[in-house]
C-alpha cells in the first residue's frame, strides 16, 4: 500500500472555485493573477504598479486607470470513502488496497497542485480516527497511509457517509466518492442529493473475480462480506447465468441513478491506474 509519488492524477474542473488561497485555477475574486479582470479607476483600486497607460491616455477626464486582475485560486478536494466490510473483498485484487492507493495518489496530487485536501471515511458511522480536515498538507498521504494500514473494513453499510456531508464546506468542492456501491436502497440517492452543489466523481471499485471468472460447474462457498453469512452452492451454467444477470442489472441501476444526478462514474476494474483517471478528466474538462 505504499504511496508512489509518481502516481499523480491531473484533475481538472470547468468551474471557478471560490476563496482567496492562491492556486492554479481561475477564481472569482480580484487578486494577483495573470488574467485581466477589468480596468478600473485608480481611486477604486489604488495600486499604481498596475497603471494602464492606454486607457489613461484615452480618458477625456484625465483620470488614472489601473488593471484589475483575477486571483488564481486553490481548489478544495475531498475524498469520501466507504470502509464497510464489503470493501475488504479480495479477488484478483484487494479492494481495500486499491482504495488506499487511490486516496494516497489524490492526496499527493493535491499537495503538488497546492490544493486543500480532506478525507472522511465511514461504515455505519463516520470514522473519526480516519478523518482529515481540508488543508494544504504535505504529509496527508503519509498520515492516511499509516492510519489506513492499521484499519480493517467493517460494518454492514456505509450509511455513516451521510454524517460526512456536514463536514464539507458550503462552497463548491471536488469530491471523490469511492466505494463498491453495494448499498441499501436509498443511500446513494440521499448522498447525491446532499452533494448536489459539489462536483462529484463516483469511483466504482469492481473486481473480475466477482462474476466474470465464476466457474461454470463445481462446489462454491458464497459469502456476504457485510453480514458474514455463508452458503454452499453447486455451480451450474443456469446459476452462473443468473448471477451474471443480477450483476448486470445492478450495474445498469447504478449507472441510471448516477446519470439522473448528472454524475459520470469512473470505474476501477481491478487495479487502479492514475493515468486512466487523468484521461477521465481530460475527456470531461
Amino acid at each position: 500500500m505504499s504511496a508512489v509519488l509518481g502516481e499523480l492524477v491531473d484533475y481538472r474542473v470547468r468551474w471557478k472555485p471560490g476563496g482567496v488561497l492562491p492556486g492554479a485555477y481561475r477564481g472569482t475574486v480580484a487578486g494577483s493573477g495573470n488574467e485581466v479582470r477589468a480596468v478600473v479607476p485608480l481611486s477604486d483600486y489604488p495600486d499604481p504598479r498596475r497603471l494602464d497607460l492606454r486607457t489613461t491616455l484615452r480618458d477625456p477626464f484625465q483620470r488614472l486607470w489601473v488593471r484589475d486582475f483575477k486571483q488564481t485560486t486553490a481548489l478544495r478536494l475531498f475524498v469520501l470513502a466507504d470502509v464497510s466490510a464489503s470493501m475488504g473483498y479480495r479477488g484478483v485484487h484487494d479492494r481495500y488496497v486499491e482504495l488506499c492507493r487511490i486516496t494516497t495518489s489524490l492526496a499527493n496530487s493535491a499537495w503538488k497542485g497546492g490544493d486543500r485536501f480532506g478525507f472522511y471515511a465511514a461504515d455505519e458511522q463516520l470514522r473519526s480516527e480516519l478523518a482529515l480536515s481540508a488543508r494544504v498538507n504535505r504529509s496527508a498521504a503519509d498520515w492516511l497511509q499509516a492510519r489506513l494500514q492499521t484499519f480493517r473494513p467493517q460494518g454492514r453499510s456505509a450509511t455513516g457517509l451521510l454524517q460526512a456531508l456536514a463536514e464539507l464546506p458550503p462552497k463548491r468542492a471536488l469530491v471523490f466518492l469511492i466505494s463498491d456501491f453495494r448499498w441499501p436502497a436509498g443511500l446513494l440517492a440521499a448522498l447525491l442529493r446532499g452533494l448536489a452543489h459539489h462536483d462529484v466523481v463516483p469511483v466504482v471499485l469492481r473486481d473480475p473475480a466477482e462474476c466474470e471468472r465464476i466457474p461454470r460447474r463445481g462446489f462454491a462457498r458464497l459469502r456476504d462480506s457485510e453480514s458474514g453469512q455463508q452458503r454452499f452452492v453447486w455451480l451450474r451454467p443456469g446459476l452462473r447465468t443468473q448471477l451474471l444477470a443480477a450483476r448486470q442489472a445492478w450495474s445498469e441501476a447504478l449507472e441510471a441513478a448516477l446519470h439522473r444526478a448528472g454524475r459520470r462514474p469512473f470505474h476501477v476494474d481491478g487495479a487502479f491506474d492514475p493515468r486512466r483517471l487523468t484521461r477521465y478528466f481530460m475527456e470531461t474538462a
Side-chain angles (χ1 to χ4, degrees), residues 130-145:
L130 300 177
L132 183 66
S133 58
R135 58 182 181 272
V136 180
N137 190 344
R138 182 176 184 177
S139 61
D142 293 334
W143 187 90
L144 282 170
Q145 181 179 323

Side-chain angles (χ1 to χ4, degrees), residues 26 37 47 74 118 124 185 203 218 243:
R26 295 171 59 187
R37 179 169 176 263
D47 188 349
E124 293 164 310
V203 180
L243 292 174

Side-chain angles (χ1 to χ4, degrees), residues 99-122:
L99 165 65
C100 297
R101 288 189 61 221
I102 297 170
T103 299
T104 53
S105 176
L106 291 172
N108 281 323
S109 302
W111 162 248
K112 181 182 179 182
D115 296 324
R116 284 168 282 194
F117 176 85
F119 178 84
Y120 296 98

Side-chain angles (χ1 to χ4, degrees), residues 229-248:
Q229 295 180 350
Q230 300 185 31
R231 182 180 179 183
F232 285 92
V233 298
W234 169 250
L235 292 176
R236 53 198 182 278
L239 179 58
R240 185 176 186 274
T241 300
Q242 292 178 21
L243 292 174
L244 292 175
R247 167 67 179 271
Q248 182 63 27

Side-chain angles (χ1 to χ4, degrees), residues 126-203:
L126 187 64
R127 309 300 300 195
S128 59
E129 68 270 30
L130 300 177
L132 183 66
S133 58
R135 58 182 181 272
V136 180
N137 190 344
R138 182 176 184 177
S139 61
D142 293 334
W143 187 90
L144 282 170
Q145 181 179 323
R147 293 297 181 96
L148 291 172
Q149 280 182 336
T150 59
F151 183 84
R152 290 294 173 266
Q154 53 192 291
R156 303 185 65 169
S157 72
T159 52
L161 288 174
L162 294 172
Q163 302 173 32
L165 298 178
E167 305 297 330
L168 300 182
K171 292 184 178 180
R172 197 175 191 185
L174 177 61
V175 179
F176 290 85
L177 182 59
I178 306 176
S179 175
D180 58 1
F181 291 91
R182 303 303 178 94
W183 291 347
L187 176 56
L188 178 59
L191 269 175
L192 292 177
R193 284 195 301 269
L195 295 168
H197 65 292
H198 293 296
D199 191 353
V200 181
V201 179
V203 180

